[in-house]
Amino acid sequence: MAYSGGISEFGTLRNIKLLRNNGDSYNFDLYKLLINGDRSDDITIEAGDVILVDSAKNFISLDGEVIREAIYEVKENETLEDLISFGLGFS
């Protein structure tokens, strides 16, 4: 049995994989939960499950006239509108 200390500074929040003993796998984007409050992809972790957290690849610093300034992980297909929504819109 192993315990994780959480996701490291460079671990992805956008592509987390859960692997089941029976071969099933699930992908999660934690931004859906953390930014949007969307729990539609929730799944119960079971004994024997493996959680894989890859390294994040693309970051952008969003600052200025947005409500929530931060450094966000971005996917290649995301737009400027997506990024502004991460920052909760303009202040």
Side-chain angles (χ1 to χ4, degrees), residues 42-74:
D42 277 8
I43 190 167
T44 302
I45 298 172
E46 299 175 356
D49 285 351
V50 174
I51 299 172
L52 300 174
V53 179
D54 201 0
S55 60
K57 299 186 180 22
N58 299 310
F59 294 97
I60 190 165
S61 178
L62 186 62
D63 55 355
E65 299 299 319
V66 292
I67 295 169
R68 182 174 51 204
E69 296 180 341
I71 297 172
Y72 294 97
E73 182 181 353
V74 294

